[in-house]
Amino acid sequence: FGQQFDFVFDYTFFCAIPPSKRESWGARMGTLVKDGGKLLTLVFPIDEENAFNPDASGPPFPVSVAYYEKVLCPHGFVKLSEEASDASVSPRKDKELVVWWEKHTSKL
């Protein structure tokens, strides 16, 4: 693309990526989001026990906020907020979170 964006919305894209390829996704978000830009993630399906299991079945593959942190923080992302959504449909209630991130890579 060669462009950077102020805002990127990941609506369950991460859970479709096999765990072995998630580091590449984090690196790509680091190139797509401008310094000071925001990334909004819908973290689903949350499964703390299996999120880091390389043999987990999917898609959707299990995820956790900790896994997002593992692949985003090395690229300058800081978690701003994490909350359940009032708009979650009943089968997904308690299995998803809305998490906002901001990218900070410039030295102050």
Side-chain angles (χ1 to χ4, degrees):
F1 290 89
Q3 291 184 308
Q4 288 190 302
F5 300 92
D6 296 314
F7 174 72
V8 172
F9 181 28
D10 171 31
Y11 184 84
T12 68
F13 184 77
F14 190 75
C15 70
I17 301 169
S20 64
K21 298 186 186 271
R22 288 181 176 166
E23 297 281 345
S24 295
W25 177 88
R28 187 65 176 144
M29 289 300 107
T31 62
L32 287 175
V33 179
K34 290 180 181 178
D35 194 41
K38 305 276 193 312
L39 171 63
L40 174 60
T41 57
L42 181 64
V43 180
F44 171 84
I46 295 174
D47 182 348
E48 299 291 338
E49 194 172 305
N50 290 301
F52 287 92
N53 179 354
D55 299 320
S57 62
F61 294 96
V63 302
S64 68
V65 174
Y67 210 130
Y68 278 80
E69 290 174 327
K70 178 183 181 220
V71 301
L72 290 173
C73 292
H75 301 284
F77 286 94
V78 175
K79 183 172 64 170
L80 299 176
S81 67
E82 170 185 329
E83 61 187 57
S85 172
D86 293 335
S88 293
V89 294
S90 59
R92 290 170 64 155
K93 205 158 227 20
D94 300 322
K95 294 180 184 171
E96 67 183 2
L97 292 170
V98 175
V99 183
W100 281 94
W101 308 85
E102 188 170 50
K103 184 179 169 194
H104 295 283
T105 55
S106 295
K107 303 281 183 204
L108 296 176

